[in-house]
Amino acid sequence: MKILVIGSGGREHAICWKLKQSKLVDTIYCAPGNGGIGQIAECVPIVPGSSGYIQRLIHFATTNRIDLTVVGSELPLADGIVDHFREANLKIFGPSKDAAIVEASKVFAKRFMLRNSIPTARFQVFKDAQSAVEYVRHVSFPVVIKADGLAAGKGVIICNRIEEAIAAINNIMVERIFNEAGSQIIIEECLTGEEVSVLAFTDGEHAVQMLSAQDHKRIFDHDKGPNTGGMGAYAPYPGFTPQLYDLIQKDILEPTIQGLREEGRKYTGVIYLGLMLTSNGPKLLEYNIRFGDPECQVVLPLLETDLVEIMLACMEGRLNELDIKWKHLSALCVVLASGGYPTSYKKNLPITGIDEAEKMKDVTIFHAGTSIADDRIVTSGGRVLNVVACGDNIPQTKKLAYEAASLINFEAVHYRKDIGDRAIETARVK
Ligand code: AMP
Ligand code: GLY
């Protein structure tokens, strides 16, 4: 088969890497790809979000007889790429635009959770800044304020005091710092507990959870500093018991898939549940409509079953016929970022040591913000490389991942030193 993967991050590198292991796959293309993806796939210079990109991808897929397209990020899905590809008789893995609304609109997602009795934080929706400000004068803090719509993971603000809440409301609704995503906001109860990402494959009828994972969103150790796209992850989460799997399946995942189907929004693809494990059980913070980044980079290396077979089963409505198998190992990912990320940082800096790190047993390097200049790999983004190690347990994978990370260098490289520590602590307390 010829496969086209859409995207350019560490997640898409991991997807290409896993697809490449399938006996069903002959050639992989990736649009637009990155410096590392180019070593295992043919990069195609079409960038999601650029003018006419869906039509250009359809043209590419048709003329190159692509058998299956896999979408990495949410933007093309929210833009309806799946509907357009299907109209052109092209096979594509991911939810339709109608189903993609669960990530594209947080207001839709929260109301959907409510009408399907899916446990989530209590919330109110506001369409104008004045009534939102009036409301926060009478709530207890902290509260969480969320812009509706896609805001590249930055549209959620946790406010500890009224002044912060008023500033957040003004920034989102009046200044429109997230553009149209600021036309409505959600103000919700702040939940506490461990945050866990549970991704699932679904064919619209059945849903199978992948191994659980934990992301590390803040830039600095001990969860300090601003949020980022993700500075590291590990899988599986040590507190994830079979009982928790069943609870999430019964109370969250199945009502989601069934509710969407009943509302005429049948969902196929990967669905991501962002969960808070509270003292009152798991509560759903958000849906994403695709693999998480960097969760994907630790979950896919543990997948035993052929990913193409799973994707085809999802698209053909026969996921229940598959027995999806996982390795009984742990995986851990350390993200190497450009100094200054998530604000401003330098680009085009030469990177050394990737080859040495890649030679290490049980270590894989997934590229994110890299490109090739004069035959050398250089930085081209905020999150640059994902160093992933696999091993029998988290302490062992942590040691291995950091040994590999220490071999790689570029000017002002920054990475967290505590990825995995919470897992080690959770396992110790249990
Ligand atoms: P979301 O995009 O909705 O997942 O929000 C981004 C991040 O904000 C989450 O990963 C949580 O860390 C945090 N968050 C969102 N909603 C809540 C909430 N109700 N209580 C506490 N933290 C939250
Ligand atoms: N790791 C969070 C996300 O992919 O949205």
Side-chain angles (χ1 to χ4, degrees):
M1 289 174 75
K2 285 181 170 182
I3 311 236
L4 169 64
V5 175
I6 299 175
S8 61
R11 166 181 49 206
E12 287 75 18
H13 194 176
I15 293 172
C16 289
W17 171 87
K18 184 67 191 166
L19 291 172
K20 183 119 187 132
Q21 295 167 14
S22 168
K23 56 187 183 314
L24 300 169
V25 172
D26 302 307
T27 318
I28 303 179
Y29 299 88
C30 187
N34 63 35
I37 292 175
Q39 294 167 9
I40 56 169
E42 245 178 76
C43 293
V44 181
I46 303 175
V47 179
S50 62
S51 157
Y53 76 98
I54 293 182
Q55 286 313 317
R56 286 187 287 140
L57 287 168
I58 288 177
H59 182 253
F60 178 85
T62 311
T63 48
N64 289 279
R65 299 177 187 280
I66 298 295
D67 299 295
L68 172 65
T69 297
V70 178
V71 188
S73 75
E74 61 278 12
L75 178 77
L77 297 167
D79 281 347
I81 192 169
V82 168
D83 310 67
H84 291 292
F85 265 61
R86 285 187 189 147
E87 276 161 29
N89 274 323
L90 292 163
K91 269 196 190 161
I92 184 162
F93 177 78
S96 63
K97 186 172 183 169
D98 278 347
I101 193 170
V102 294
E103 178 170 358
S105 167
K106 287 187 185 293
V107 170
F108 177 91
K110 291 292 292 192
R111 290 182 171 147
F112 174 83
M113 292 174 209
L114 195 63
R115 62 179 177 268
N116 288 282
S117 306
I118 293 167
T120 188
R122 285 192 304 270
F123 71 101
Q124 297 276 338
V125 177
F126 295 91
K127 281 187 166 27
D128 70 278
Q130 209 184 341
S131 36
V133 169
E134 195 49 43
Y135 175 77
V136 295
R137 290 193 194 286
H138 303 105
V139 292
S140 47
F141 282 85
V143 291
V144 184
I145 301 193
K146 301 185 174 184
D148 192 27
L150 299 181
K154 301 189 183 76
V156 174
I157 303 168
I158 297 180
C159 306
N160 290 305
R161 295 183 333 208
I162 179 137
E163 297 77 24
E164 289 168 16
I166 293 174
I169 294 167
N170 279 326
N171 287 336
I172 299 174
M173 301 196 91
V174 183
E175 305 293 330
R176 292 290 172 111
I177 58 168
F178 304 122
N179 307 316
E180 275 316 288
S183 60
Q184 296 191 90
I185 58 165
I186 294 164
I187 303 184
E188 73 179 32
E189 166 197 15
C190 188
L191 300 174
T192 52
E194 281 290 320
E195 221 180 308
V196 180
S197 310
V198 171
L199 286 68
F201 294 109
T202 178
D203 62 5
E205 294 269 345
H206 318 94
V208 180
Q209 293 174 45
M210 304 183 207
L211 291 182
S212 57
Q214 194 166 44
D215 189 5
H216 295 64
K217 289 182 202 229
R218 305 292 197 96
I219 185 79
F220 299 125
D221 286 12
H222 312 299
D223 295 325
K224 297 276 185 322
N227 263 339
T228 68
M231 293 300 292
Y234 58 79
Y237 173 67
F240 209 85
T241 58
Q243 291 80 357
L244 189 54
Y245 181 104
D246 290 344
L247 200 60
I248 291 168
Q249 192 76 11
K250 185 170 70 56
D251 288 355
I252 301 177
L253 189 53
E254 282 169 3
T256 296
I257 299 308
Q258 188 183 339
L260 286 169
R261 195 175 62 241
E262 285 171 3
E263 293 184 14
R265 298 177 188 271
K266 186 171 170 184
Y267 191 112
T268 54
V270 168
I271 189 154
Y272 169 130
L273 310 173
L275 300 169
M276 190 74 90
L277 305 182
T278 75
S279 51
N280 291 322
K283 296 206 177 180
L284 185 59
L285 298 177
E286 63 161 348
Y287 293 112
N288 289 321
I289 53 183
R290 32 82 191 164
F291 283 104
D293 185 338
E295 289 93 331
C296 182
Q297 291 89 306
V298 288
V299 168
L300 287 187
L302 300 177
L303 177 62
E304 193 97 55
T305 309
D306 185 324
L307 182 58
V308 181
E309 280 181 14
I310 301 175
M311 290 178 164
L312 293 175
C314 287
M315 294 162 58
E316 292 162 10
R318 46 176 186 78
L319 190 57
N320 59 330
E321 290 170 15
L322 280 193
D323 180 17
I324 297 177
K325 292 217 155 51
W326 298 92
K327 295 179 182 157
H328 295 286
L329 295 174
S330 299
L332 185 137
C333 166
V334 178
V335 172
L336 308 193
S338 300
Y341 172 77
T343 31
S344 59
Y345 48 84
K346 282 196 200 166
K347 287 187 188 176
N348 294 314
L349 302 169
I351 309 173
T352 58
I354 298 180
D355 288 349
E356 288 77 358
E358 260 173 341
K359 280 192 200 121
M360 286 175 65
K361 191 170 169 294
D362 298 323
V363 170
T364 311
I365 312 294
F366 295 125
H367 292 228
T370 71
S371 57
I372 310 278
D374 299 330
D375 285 335
R376 297 183 71 180
I377 296 195
V378 298
T379 66
S380 65
R383 291 187 298 163
V384 178
L385 292 168
N386 300 228
V387 179
V388 177
C390 286
D392 289 333
N393 52 50
I394 300 279
Q396 193 188 332
T397 45
K398 179 182 175 192
K399 188 162 170 284
L400 195 58
Y402 279 104
E403 264 173 43
S406 72
L407 299 174
I408 301 176
N409 200 21
F410 53 89
E411 188 190 313
V413 56
H414 165 74
Y415 55 91
R416 278 179 63 159
K417 308 293 184 299
D418 66 339
I419 306 298
D421 286 357
R422 290 178 78 143
I424 295 166
E425 180 61 17
T426 307
R428 196 181 62 77
V429 172
K430 267 180 70 193

